[in-house]
Amino acid sequence: MDTTPAADFVVVSNRLPVDRSADDDEWRRSPGGLVAALEPVLQSTGGAWVGWPGQPGLEIDPFEFDGMSLVPVVLSAEDVELFYEGFSNDTIWPLYHDVISPPAYHRLWWEAYVRVNERFARAAASVAAPDATVWVHDYQLQLVPRMLRELRPDLVIGYFHHIPFPAYGIYAQLPWRKQVLEGLVGADVIGFQRVADAGNFARAVRRQLGFETKAGSIRVPDKDGTVRTAIAKAYPISIDAAVYDELARRPDVQARAREIRESLGNPKTVLFGVDRLDYTKGIGHRLKAFGELLADHRLDVEDVTLVQVASPSRERVAAYMQLRDEIELTVGRINGDHDTVGHSAIRYLHHSYPREEMVALYLAADVMLVTALRDGMNLVAKEYVASRVDGRGVLVLSEFTGAADELTQAIRVNPHDIDGLKDAIETAIDMPVDEQRKRMRALRRRVRDHDVADWSRTFLADLASIRERRS
């Protein structure tokens, strides 16, 4: 570890921004908005990224990749089972998503969570230069900010929470609720996707820790007797909109979009849903609404096709295995009831796709269905908007996503209200082109003006203001 040069800017996340190819054992840049946003900052500052390389038991020295210093943290197979699949994804994930699926509370999982968070904190402390800025990411590492502050009180520490933060009545179920809050208030800036999430967090801090909170700030007493002011507010994350716009204008991507429609039998309307196969995404609600529209003869399978991409997710967690079975049974039943020789009601695809193919699918889709039951942001909604260079298309968007706060020209839905969802799908299908263009123009402006670079700039500016206040 001591061979890694001291970095003035350190990112800490569960995963490194690279994946190792099984074919040639080479490292490749991971897709995703976080990497796109932070890579330029790391390259310009000579920064370091601390994270797990993605394979249990893999011990490798720090290495350079595309101008970034990458600092691997080792996780054993047991760590992956208890810390990642267990506490992170079977305790925190369902609890923070409004207990859509019941969380499990196991002391062994919590002990692993503490142990692994300590490992990440020590790794970050060892590579950070004096007075460096460290930015910690997401729910797997909620204890790291405090641990890091105790190891290195000279650091300026940010934390961004990518998923929802639940209302106090739900959060209070967590047996280790106080320890998690103490971990988070170790940061100088604590960021959330929505104003409501920041409010839920402040309420929990008041109730559990008794700290004073006011207008996005928290007065945090430190061990040395001083009182520090931490910022806790919303910083809605976004996408690299220019990349999607550029891809959508490429002739080969547009040709692929036409191919996709032809392969579906050229229906009048293509509905599209794309999600990780996760119980928070409301895929079952979407399928139920669509199946009922066909059964009610409000839609005709000859005219309308639903394409549902459900990328594999957490396949060793029992709730996810059960969800896959339920979704595939529902798709099979609806197709069995409504398919004709030439037209399929639902084209279900249990795969992940490269970005070019996703943009072609966005271009092929007349209506985008985002029906999440709870979602920190939902970047798919923004990707669809950024890809619609023709100015057409309709976004149907759950009010329980962070994106609903920003994308106000979408058709908002409560996915639990199946009749309301059915009406919204019909409204989207029947929407006149002029109204589509008017709404899409406003949506595209919002996504373009508030892209992922703007998000990281805003967060880092608040961290810089903390540094200035200290000096």
Side-chain angles (χ1 to χ4, degrees):
M1 195 72 75
D2 54 10
T3 59
T4 306
D8 289 321
F9 180 60
V10 181
V11 173
V12 188
S13 68
N14 181 57
R15 287 293 302 271
L16 286 173
V18 290
D19 294 309
R20 196 176 216 170
S21 168
D23 300 330
D24 53 16
D25 221 27
E26 291 292 315
W27 293 103
R28 290 188 174 79
R29 185 175 177 276
S30 304
L34 185 63
V35 181
L38 298 183
E39 187 178 48
V41 185
L42 285 162
Q43 289 167 339
S44 64
T45 59
W49 193 310
V50 175
W52 176 47
Q55 295 173 33
L58 184 62
E59 294 192 41
I60 46 176
D61 291 329
F63 62 100
E64 293 288 314
F65 182 89
D66 275 3
M68 298 182 286
S69 295
L70 303 187
V71 182
V73 173
V74 180
L75 295 186
S76 67
E78 183 183 50
D79 291 331
V80 173
E81 180 189 345
L82 304 180
F83 151 77
Y84 181 69
E85 293 173 352
F87 195 81
S88 295
N89 290 324
D90 216 2
T91 301
I92 293 293
W93 180 269
L95 179 72
Y96 283 28
H97 286 86
D98 294 353
V99 290
I100 293 166
S101 177
Y105 303 117
H106 297 301
R107 285 167 289 182
L108 197 63
W109 291 1
W110 166 250
E111 288 160 9
Y113 189 77
V114 174
R115 185 172 66 244
V116 171
N117 272 245
E118 283 174 344
R119 204 174 304 157
F120 275 86
R122 285 196 302 271
S126 71
V127 298
D131 303 313
T133 296
V134 180
W135 193 358
V136 183
H137 286 271
D138 223 5
Y139 64 102
Q140 301 95 344
L141 304 176
Q142 293 175 100
L143 307 182
V144 168
R146 181 183 180 179
M147 292 170 169
L148 200 48
R149 183 166 296 282
E150 290 176 353
L151 290 165
R152 293 284 305 275
D154 60 304
L155 301 175
V156 174
I157 302 167
Y159 170 87
F160 187 76
H161 196 74
H162 291 257
I163 68 172
F165 195 90
Y168 179 73
I170 291 175
Y171 179 75
Q173 293 181 28
L174 184 65
W176 307 278
R177 58 200 183 181
K178 192 169 277 191
Q179 294 97 311
V180 168
L181 293 173
E182 288 170 342
L184 292 171
V185 296
D188 295 295
V189 179
I190 307 141
F192 298 92
Q193 299 282 25
R194 309 180 80 167
V195 171
D197 295 325
N200 288 342
F201 173 72
R203 201 164 298 113
V205 166
R206 283 197 303 275
R207 296 281 293 272
Q208 284 296 318
L209 304 182
F211 296 171
E212 182 188 336
T213 68
K214 187 178 181 183
S217 67
I218 299 172
R219 307 242 319 142
V220 184
D222 278 331
K223 282 189 171 178
D224 60 4
T226 60
V227 176
R228 182 170 50 84
T229 299
I231 297 169
K233 67 179 193 182
Y235 301 84
I237 199 170
S238 194
I239 61 168
D240 189 344
V243 167
Y244 285 89
D245 185 284
E246 190 180 308
L247 279 172
R249 294 181 192 278
R250 272 177 28 187
D252 60 319
V253 174
Q254 293 183 357
R256 176 64 188 140
R258 289 190 293 272
E259 269 178 32
I260 289 167
R261 289 190 74 100
E262 282 168 23
S263 72
L264 297 170
N266 277 320
K268 289 179 185 172
T269 305
V270 175
L271 309 177
F272 186 39
V274 54
D275 314 85
R276 276 190 316 103
L277 189 57
D278 192 291
Y279 48 74
T280 64
K281 301 298 183 182
I283 301 170
H285 297 63
R286 183 183 314 161
L287 297 177
K288 183 176 179 64
F290 181 62
E292 287 189 13
L293 284 167
L294 292 172
D296 297 345
H297 304 292
R298 290 166 64 178
L299 296 181
D300 191 317
V301 75
E302 301 282 332
D303 298 328
V304 182
T305 296
L306 169 60
V307 177
Q308 176 62 55
V309 172
S311 55
S313 175
R314 300 171 191 161
E315 294 186 287
R316 299 196 334 176
V317 178
Y320 289 79
M321 292 188 275
Q322 183 184 339
L323 176 68
R324 180 178 178 181
D325 289 345
E326 288 170 3
I327 295 299
E328 290 178 356
L329 279 169
T330 303
V331 169
R333 190 179 68 248
I334 292 171
N335 283 344
D337 287 345
H338 300 289
D339 280 9
T340 63
V341 172
H343 293 273
S344 202
I346 302 168
R347 186 68 62 87
Y348 174 75
L349 306 162
H350 184 57
H351 309 290
S352 296
Y353 289 97
R355 190 181 282 171
E356 288 83 354
E357 183 74 355
M358 288 308 306
V359 172
L361 283 159
Y362 290 142
L363 283 172
D366 302 289
V367 177
M368 183 81 211
L369 301 177
V370 177
T371 57
L373 307 179
R374 191 79 165 93
D375 215 330
M377 176 51 62
N378 194 284
L379 294 178
V380 161
K382 294 186 176 184
E383 290 172 5
Y384 178 71
V385 167
S387 302
R388 294 308 305 203
V389 293
D390 60 354
R392 295 180 62 170
V394 184
L395 174 62
V396 175
L397 182 60
S398 165
E399 63 191 65
F400 304 118
T401 62
D405 291 356
E406 299 180 85
L407 304 182
T408 54
Q409 295 298 315
I411 297 176
R412 286 167 59 103
V413 292
N414 170 3
H416 298 282
D417 175 7
I418 299 298
D419 286 335
L421 182 52
K422 287 158 67 176
D423 292 344
I425 292 170
E426 269 200 315
T427 299
I429 290 170
D430 296 336
M431 186 178 289
V433 172
D434 285 351
E435 188 180 348
Q436 288 184 34
R437 291 190 188 283
K438 180 183 172 186
R439 287 172 179 254
M440 190 56 72
R441 193 159 48 243
L443 291 169
R444 284 177 58 77
R445 189 182 309 117
R446 173 73 198 188
V447 172
R448 185 184 65 240
D449 293 349
H450 298 277
D451 65 359
V452 73
D454 177 64
W455 166 77
S456 61
R457 269 195 308 270
T458 306
F459 193 98
L460 291 171
D462 279 351
L463 277 176
S465 73
I466 296 275
R467 174 178 302 291
E468 285 165 21
R469 215 180 301 155
R470 273 197 203 168
S471 56

